[in-house]
Amino acid sequence: MKALGRHDQTIIRCLLLLALVISAAPPWAVPAVAQEQDTTPPETYFISVPDDPSASTSAVFQFASDDAAATFQCSLDGAAWAACASPQEYTGLAEGDHFFDVLAVDAAGNADQSPARDTWTVDTADPVVWEAFIDGFETGDLSLWTDEDGLRVQSQEVMTGGYAARGASSGETATFAAKDLSPSQSELYYRIKFNLLSQGQNRVPLLGFRTAADEPILNLFVESDGTLGYQSNGGDTRRSSAVITQEVWHEVEIRVLIADTASETEIWYDGYRLDDLSQTEALGTEEIGRIVLGNNGTGRTYDIAVDDVAVDTSFITPDIVDNTAPAVVAEPGGGLYNAAQSVTLSADDPRATIHYTTDGSAPNTASAVYAEPISVAATTTLKFFAVDEAGNASAVATETYTIDTTGPTVTLAD
């Protein structure tokens, strides 16, 4: 081989240098940035799901993701995941509980780590329809009640029809009847008509609301002093100023709404709402599944007749016609006194309005309304009457108070 000359060597060096320059990155070139890997999974959410419970053996789910390009995997009742799309439909489902899961998968293969889940129950049985309960006393027995003890159906003390229930105890026996309700209810109205024939120095239970497990919710009673009251499942007792007149038929209706600490009670006595027994109560969350007439406790003396018992989910219209005028009295009564008197007027109907005069004139509905004790410091003729909400007015009563504060004069004989 012929040796390269100086000139040839110079050419080769130039060519090599040119190749190095071409292969090298220019100083102004920007280095390429490596593409960042997507590791964020998409979110999955439902647009619509079946009713719960559902009477259908089919179910349709609509779902979506925050990644519009995501695909989906679905699973029914724990089955293997399978590709799916919204809407997803299933048919021929069995009765009972079911659950459906769906997750989104993005283009990078990231899967939602917290799949969306819906649970529901397939129940194709006909729903239980609420029916109002009527006592059935006119059949001559207690066959419509679930349980009973000591209470009997008779025809001697009756409000309407030919039969009513009656419970009498000298303290050794209980008198009650109970009715299981289906389905249980969160709100009920319970009405009875009753005649308290006699009462010992004790409470007389009228009616009660209980859970399906027979736990007490609220009991209504007549207190030993004749006032109406109730006791809640928390032990709290409420009393009304309404006084029950014995040997007279009365009607009482009570509404109970179960809503935990926002539960409500509302009571009407002889057609009039009792504000002092109508309020918010803490009655828990268990629905009313059983109603009781009377009580299964002992140690009480009473004789009571009950008729026209009704239970419903809406207000039971009272059918008592009130044509009884209230009775009103003054305490102390008129007479001769050696000091000023504070006179109290009271009516046997706590909702009655009392009108009065102190100048001897006949009072009417435009006269002063009694609101607090009347001070009588001089000889006074007090006239008064009461009128109830039905418009029944009592006769005008008159009490004359003679106030003599002057002592006798003593004269010594010569």
Side-chain angles (χ1 to χ4, degrees):
M1 177 183 292
K2 181 181 179 180
L4 296 175
R6 184 185 300 270
H7 178 71
D8 294 331
Q9 293 178 0
T10 300
I11 292 174
I12 291 173
R13 290 190 184 98
C14 289
L15 292 174
L16 290 173
L17 179 62
L18 179 61
L20 289 173
V21 170
I22 293 173
S23 64
W28 62 82
V30 178
V33 178
Q35 185 175 1
E36 184 178 351
Q37 184 177 2
D38 178 6
T39 61
T40 303
E43 295 292 331
T44 317
Y45 57 88
F46 285 113
I47 298 173
S48 67
V49 296
D51 292 335
D52 183 26
S54 173
S56 174
T57 58
S58 299
V60 178
F61 300 88
Q62 288 185 297
F63 42 85
S65 172
D66 59 351
D67 184 340
T71 58
F72 297 95
Q73 296 280 316
C74 295
S75 170
L76 177 66
D77 294 336
W81 292 100
C84 59
S86 179
Q88 176 67 29
E89 182 177 7
Y90 296 95
T91 60
L93 299 174
E95 293 265 343
D97 297 333
H98 296 274
F99 64 93
F100 170 76
D101 296 313
V102 58
L103 61 83
V105 182
D106 65 16
N110 299 303
D112 187 351
Q113 297 302 301
S114 55
R117 168 171 287 194
D118 179 62
T119 61
W120 81 105
T121 300
V122 174
D123 183 1
T124 60
D126 292 335
V128 179
V129 179
W130 166 261
E131 292 184 4
F133 174 69
I134 305 297
D135 55 46
F137 296 155
E138 292 305 308
T139 63
D141 56 35
L142 296 168
S143 59
L144 294 185
W145 296 79
T146 308
D147 300 305
E148 56 86 14
D149 186 19
L151 202 65
R152 61 188 178 89
V153 176
Q154 47 79 55
S155 57
Q156 289 74 38
E157 293 291 340
V158 175
M159 175 66 183
T160 59
Y163 296 92
R166 187 169 180 177
S169 176
S170 58
E172 298 179 356
T173 59
T175 61
F176 81 99
K179 174 67 177 178
D180 291 340
L181 306 176
S182 180
S184 297
Q185 299 292 320
S186 61
E187 182 178 21
L188 274 184
Y189 293 78
Y190 186 178
R191 184 206 66 190
I192 67 170
K193 298 174 185 177
F194 68 97
N195 185 350
L196 185 57
L197 300 167
S198 66
Q199 177 182 13
Q201 294 301 309
N202 49 250
R203 287 180 179 176
V204 177
L206 295 178
L207 59 86
F209 294 83
R210 304 179 77 87
T211 68
D214 205 27
E215 294 296 326
I217 296 175
L218 183 142
N219 294 305
L220 186 69
F221 57 80
V222 178
E223 188 56 275
S224 57
D225 62 359
T227 56
L228 195 64
Y230 71 76
Q231 185 173 35
S232 66
N233 55 11
D236 293 334
T237 299
R238 312 283 187 189
R239 298 267 300 278
S240 172
S241 58
V243 178
I244 308 301
T245 306
Q246 293 188 16
E247 300 186 78
V248 174
W249 281 95
H250 299 282
E251 179 177 309
V252 64
E253 181 169 347
I254 177 170
R255 165 185 169 262
V256 169
L257 169 67
I258 303 299
D260 202 3
T261 56
S263 300
E264 297 177 3
T265 64
E266 201 169 7
I267 296 179
W268 295 264
Y269 171 60
D270 285 347
Y272 300 110
R273 186 177 186 272
L274 298 180
D275 293 337
D276 46 9
L277 291 183
S278 301
Q279 54 200 310
T280 300
E281 287 282 1
L283 299 178
T285 59
E286 291 295 321
E287 293 186 335
I288 305 162
R290 185 175 171 92
I291 55 103
V292 177
L293 184 61
N295 189 275
N296 59 359
T298 59
R300 303 182 181 94
T301 301
Y302 56 85
D303 186 1
I304 187 170
V306 182
D307 207 350
D308 290 350
V309 178
V311 181
D312 207 349
T313 54
S314 57
F315 184 67
I316 304 165
T317 304
D319 52 18
I320 285 182
V321 177
D322 182 5
N323 54 16
T324 303
V328 58
V329 296
E331 180 64 35
L336 175 62
Y337 297 93
N338 61 4
Q341 298 296 302
S342 180
V343 180
T344 300
L345 302 180
S346 61
D348 60 357
D349 181 346
R351 302 181 69 85
T353 301
I354 302 173
H355 298 272
Y356 71 95
T357 62
T358 57
D359 59 2
S361 63
N364 55 43
T365 54
S367 301
V369 175
Y370 175 78
E372 59 185 7
I374 302 167
S375 178
V376 178
T379 297
T380 300
T381 297
L382 176 64
K383 294 189 175 185
F384 52 92
F385 75 101
V387 59
D388 64 21
E389 291 186 337
N392 302 303
S394 68
V396 174
T398 301
E399 298 286 353
T400 300
Y401 299 85
T402 302
I403 310 298
D404 184 359
T405 59
T406 303
T409 300
V410 177
T411 301
L412 296 176
D414 292 337

